[in-house]
Amino acid sequence: MANETQMANAIRALAMDAVQQANSGHPGAPMGMADIAVALWGRHLRHNPADPAWPDRDRFVLSNGHGSMLIYALLHLTGYDLPLQELKNFRQLHSKTAGHPEVGVTPGVETTTGPLGQGISNAVGMALAEKLLATEFNREGHTVVDHFTYVFMGDGCLMEGISHESCALAGAWKLNKLIAVYDDNGISIDGEVKPWFIDDTPARFKAYGWNVIGPLDGHDVEAVDKALAQARRSAERPTIIVAKTQIGKGSPNRANTAKAHGEALGLEEVKLTREALGWPHEPFTVPKEVYADWNAREKGAAVQAEWQERFAAYRAAHPELAAEFMRRAKGELPRNFAQVAVDAAVAAHAKAETVASRKASQLALEAFTAALPEMLGGSADLTGSNLTNTKSTPPLRFDLAGNVKLAEEAQGDAPRKIGRHINYGVREFGMAAIMNGIALHGGYIPYGGTFLTFSDYSRNAIRMAALMKKRIIHVFTHDSIGLGEDGPTHQSVEHAASLRLIPNLDVWRPCDTAETAVAWAVALQNMNRPTALLLSRQNLPYAPKAGLEDISKGAYVLAEPAEVGLDAPLQAVIIATGSEVQLALKAQEQLAAERIAVRVVSMPSTTAFDRQGALYKAEVLPAGVPRIAVEMGVTDFWWKYGCAAVVGIDTFGESAPANVLFKHFGFTPENVADTVRAVLSGNVSA
């Protein structure tokens, strides 16, 4: 029989040794949650260290990611490809044991955590994805999607408001396979939390519609095991287990103190802790018998093999379903996607409609959501404004028993059709983090909408998506002062530039229906980066163009001087995005009447353009020709392109009709033309 006390102490020892060696880190949470980890990882978690990505594994999220040595110790001890040397390299350059867990860096880590509250929110997305996939793909006698999502979280996760947003949705969606263990140790960095954290957490989660188990002794493995078993039997509610623990458990002088939270124990205290725990081993030394007790490779292989047997039977009975399931699990687009994308762009080009780019987005979505059943949309209570819903994406709904309601019966051997548009309510941050979890789980491509100015609420989750290299699509409408009467609280000024600064985030601000269709196609193909689509409220005329092939490069020559009747050497280039492309085209016409030859470059995506080669960039923006940028946003961003002048806005907006605001702030063809003249006459210096 396994010695579970020694199993827990191995976690404690590895945690304090790694943090001590790095002289940096958080030993308290791993030491306090070690017994909880023994109960979950030793008795319940279905996983295979030899294959961390098999589809029906349980998901484990360490939401209190500062306690990263807990998961690193567990992954090492249970047999993942995380050798002891990596634990010795904790928090060192290029190690697999970063300060906070990072997906794609450490085998077995399901999501990048650290910003508190986002891990539990990611887990809500994972549990939702499991529930939806089970509804779509499981068939009588063939259950191929059936796993749990487990979360460890602490006080900080519950203090962050995002946990309210996401946990309320988990209750509304009746995610019964979501099980969270709350490490209730009463300590944070500033000390005992009583003066600033008085929430009745059990009552809070009961109000969300969760099962609440505890409080119980988090150092009693049997009690935690019993609670987990009870939680697993829940038919229609997510579960939170409130586990009382001692932070820094085992440390004679640091346990139950803030000192254990975020700093090394110190060599003397490490020595005393070893003695107190009865752990007489040298640093980073774990006895063979403890490794044997923890090793999960044999059990994991058996669990996965049993699932593979079931999936083989499923494939034999439902070959088309099985193939579709694996395609979506791998994140691959349908074989006909390229043609769907071309058709959408060509149709937009042929119709040349004058519509707001938010409507252009919905037109593109009609094509893409019909062709891609994995697209899972939503909006933060702005569906009628964001236009994220389509004929193929009816609302996602659940019955009183927690089952996903079918939108309609599937035809033949195809996935059952569910609602694919989520009403997130007024929860922008929660929506963004839940979408991250959906993408991390696999099987769906999530997209969700709100106003661009509210991207501030979502920003840290957007940043996390970029860091994790996951395909999530944010639909941000009402992208400028063109919003009009709602005023500066809702008018985006700095947001486009701000989003462009996030590494690995694609940002698109299309000018018409064709550019919008291409932007969506590129976003759907961005398997390793998220995308933000910035879309207008006001109608935009179609911009005539010679072809569509260069739009995906982020910037292209939209109109040469010859296209407005002027055969003369190029004198200036106007770079414009979104709604301002029309200003550039009209200014080009005015200048042509004075024999001033201007090229108009549409730059719907600076981020995509920045990835192009030097030759293409030089073709679009030739050296030695003055450049003038036009965008309804802050000007600082545009100087990176060597502009001689920028027509922008470096103040907040005003409340007034859009056309009045455009004139007031100088967004007119006349002002753009005047700016070009000033540059050419030398009255504006670079």
Side-chain angles (χ1 to χ4, degrees):
M1 184 176 178
N3 187 330
E4 292 180 328
T5 299
Q6 291 296 81
M7 290 171 69
N9 285 341
I11 294 174
R12 295 185 174 104
L14 289 172
M16 66 181 182
D17 289 343
V19 173
Q20 186 62 47
Q21 178 148 309
N23 196 29
S24 174
H26 300 74
M31 295 174 74
M33 298 194 77
D35 303 296
I36 299 170
V38 169
L40 175 59
W41 282 66
R43 300 191 183 186
H44 292 277
L45 194 71
R46 294 171 65 254
H47 65 117
N48 183 6
D51 187 359
W54 67 284
D56 204 38
R57 69 193 182 280
D58 288 339
R59 269 58 168 183
F60 173 76
V61 174
L62 185 68
S63 190
N64 45 344
H66 55 271
S68 56
M69 268 309 303
L70 175 62
I71 192 169
Y72 297 150
L74 286 165
L75 294 170
H76 168 70
L77 292 166
T78 55
Y80 284 79
D81 183 19
L82 193 67
L84 191 63
Q85 186 60 43
E86 293 292 348
L87 274 62
K88 293 179 180 179
N89 289 338
F90 178 56
R91 290 189 164 218
Q92 304 308 301
L93 184 64
H94 299 149
S95 76
K96 293 183 179 180
T97 49
H100 293 81
E102 294 185 31
V103 68
V105 172
T106 313
V109 169
E110 299 282 2
T111 180
T112 301
T113 55
L116 295 176
Q118 289 196 57
I120 176 63
S121 304
N122 296 163
V124 171
M126 294 175 185
L128 176 63
E130 190 276 343
K131 188 166 195 168
L132 300 184
L133 285 172
T135 302
E136 284 198 76
F137 286 96
N138 288 347
R139 293 294 183 269
E140 186 175 352
H142 298 281
T143 301
V144 294
V145 181
D146 183 16
H147 53 267
F148 287 83
T149 301
Y150 297 97
V151 190
F152 285 178
M153 61 183 181
D155 293 317
C157 294
L158 296 180
M159 287 188 240
E160 288 285 1
I162 187 176
S163 66
H164 164 70
E165 298 182 24
S166 56
C167 291
L169 283 168
W173 296 335
K174 302 180 185 295
L175 301 180
N176 61 300
K177 290 186 179 178
L178 174 62
I179 300 172
V181 182
Y182 165 36
D183 178 31
D184 186 8
N185 60 43
I187 300 290
S188 70
I189 290 175
D190 283 354
E192 289 192 38
V193 300
K194 289 179 182 178
W196 56 83
F197 185 53
I198 62 169
D199 298 23
D200 185 339
T201 296
R204 171 184 165 185
F205 277 79
K206 285 178 183 175
Y208 292 151
W210 286 51
N211 290 323
V212 177
I213 301 175
L216 53 79
D217 182 357
H219 302 301
D220 184 339
V221 174
E222 294 299 331
V224 177
D225 170 64
K226 184 178 179 181
L228 289 167
Q230 180 183 340
R232 287 168 57 89
R233 293 192 293 270
S234 175
E236 59 186 60
R237 293 171 182 257
T239 298
I240 182 172
I241 299 168
V242 180
K244 293 283 188 179
T245 67
Q246 296 179 25
I247 192 169
K249 170 75 171 176
S251 172
N253 300 301
R254 293 290 184 90
N256 288 324
T257 72
K259 281 284 189 180
H261 186 284
E263 61 184 69
L265 298 181
L267 291 174
E268 182 60 26
E269 188 66 15
V270 167
K271 178 183 176 183
L272 293 174
T273 303
R274 279 187 147 72
E275 293 171 359
L277 293 174
W279 187 264
H281 314 291
E282 293 296 311
F284 297 105
T285 299
V286 177
K288 290 182 180 179
E289 59 270 22
V290 177
Y291 271 122
D293 287 343
W294 268 118
N295 195 311
R297 292 180 74 92
E298 184 176 342
K299 182 180 177 182
V303 170
Q304 183 175 355
E306 187 272 334
W307 178 81
Q308 288 172 327
E309 270 188 42
R310 283 190 281 121
F311 193 80
Y314 177 71
R315 181 185 285 115
H318 303 283
E320 293 178 12
L321 266 177
E324 176 70 0
F325 176 83
M326 291 309 299
R327 177 188 73 78
R328 286 172 53 175
K330 294 174 182 176
E332 297 173 351
L333 295 174
R335 291 182 180 178
N336 68 336
F337 176 79
Q339 190 60 52
V340 171
V342 168
D343 290 347
V346 169
H349 183 54
K351 291 180 181 178
E353 293 177 281
T354 295
V355 295
S357 54
R358 61 172 174 162
K359 181 62 179 178
S361 170
Q362 188 179 47
L363 294 172
L365 276 172
E366 288 289 357
F368 290 123
T369 56
L372 276 67
E374 62 264 43
M375 289 185 70
L376 185 63
S379 174
D381 203 47
L382 289 168
T383 300
S385 294
N386 301 147
L387 304 182
T388 45
N389 57 329
T390 69
K391 294 175 184 176
S392 300
T393 59
L396 175 63
R397 295 292 184 263
F398 303 85
D399 64 24
L400 293 177
N403 300 310
V404 180
K405 289 185 177 181
L406 296 182
E408 60 179 275
E409 287 294 335
Q411 300 298 314
D413 194 13
R416 294 191 177 103
K417 295 191 176 182
I418 60 172
R420 290 196 283 138
H421 191 271
I422 301 172
N423 300 104
Y424 285 98
V426 187
R427 300 182 178 97
E428 296 89 353
F429 194 5
M431 174 179 71
I434 287 169
M435 288 198 297
N436 288 353
I438 292 169
L440 286 158
H441 181 280
Y444 295 101
I445 301 174
Y447 67 94
T450 187
F451 290 170
L452 177 56
T453 190
F454 301 147
S455 65
D456 287 339
Y457 285 130
S458 309
R459 186 177 178 85
N460 200 259
I462 297 170
R463 181 180 187 272
M464 295 300 290
L467 178 63
M468 294 189 287
K469 302 178 182 178
K470 291 301 170 183
R471 177 173 47 190
I472 296 103
I473 303 169
H474 292 270
V475 178
F476 292 129
T477 67
H478 299 59
D479 69 341
S480 70
I481 62 171
L483 174 57
E485 293 86 344
D486 276 348
T489 61
H490 284 51
Q491 291 167 3
S492 303
V493 175
E494 76 277 23
H495 298 79
S498 176
L499 289 169
R500 290 168 181 146
L501 294 176
I502 299 176
N504 200 45
L505 173 67
D506 242 16
V507 181
W508 286 79
R509 189 167 181 253
C511 78
D512 61 16
T513 52
E515 285 191 1
T516 305
V518 171
W520 264 107
V522 173
L524 289 164
Q525 293 174 88
N526 276 343
M527 292 188 66
N528 298 310
R529 63 170 59 92
T531 301
L533 304 177
L534 282 46
L535 307 169
S536 74
R537 179 197 189 195
Q538 72 272 26
N539 286 343
L540 307 180
Y542 189 78
K545 48 186 67 68
L548 306 174
E549 59 275 5
D550 287 337
I551 297 175
S552 63
K553 296 175 182 177
Y556 63 102
V557 178
L558 177 62
E560 294 281 29
E563 292 170 57
V564 286
L566 183 58
D567 183 13
L570 190 62
Q571 294 170 266
V573 175
I574 302 176
I575 308 169
T577 77
S579 51
E580 290 75 82
V581 168
Q582 287 301 316
L583 302 181
L585 291 172
K586 290 176 182 176
Q588 181 193 41
E589 291 180 7
Q590 292 181 13
L591 292 165
E594 303 169 30
R595 297 201 60 76
I596 298 174
V598 172
R599 168 187 288 181
V600 174
V601 169
S602 178
M603 192 177 284
S605 177
T606 63
T607 50
F609 181 66
D610 288 348
R611 293 195 297 272
Q612 304 307 311
L615 182 61
Y616 181 75
K617 290 179 180 178
E619 289 175 357
V620 175
L621 303 175
V625 180
R627 303 164 188 173
I628 298 90
V630 186
E631 184 174 63
M632 288 188 210
V634 293
T635 59
D636 278 359
F637 173 83
W638 288 100
W639 303 114
K640 66 181 280 188
Y641 294 108
C643 293
V646 181
V647 178
I649 175 171
D650 288 315
T651 67
F652 293 113
E654 298 278 356
S655 294
N659 289 336
V660 174
L661 292 175
F662 296 155
K663 185 174 182 180
H664 174 74
F665 285 108
F667 291 103
T668 63
E670 291 75 19
N671 187 47
V672 174
D674 285 345
T675 304
V676 174
R677 294 186 193 99
V679 168
L680 294 178
S681 65
N683 292 330
V684 175
S685 58

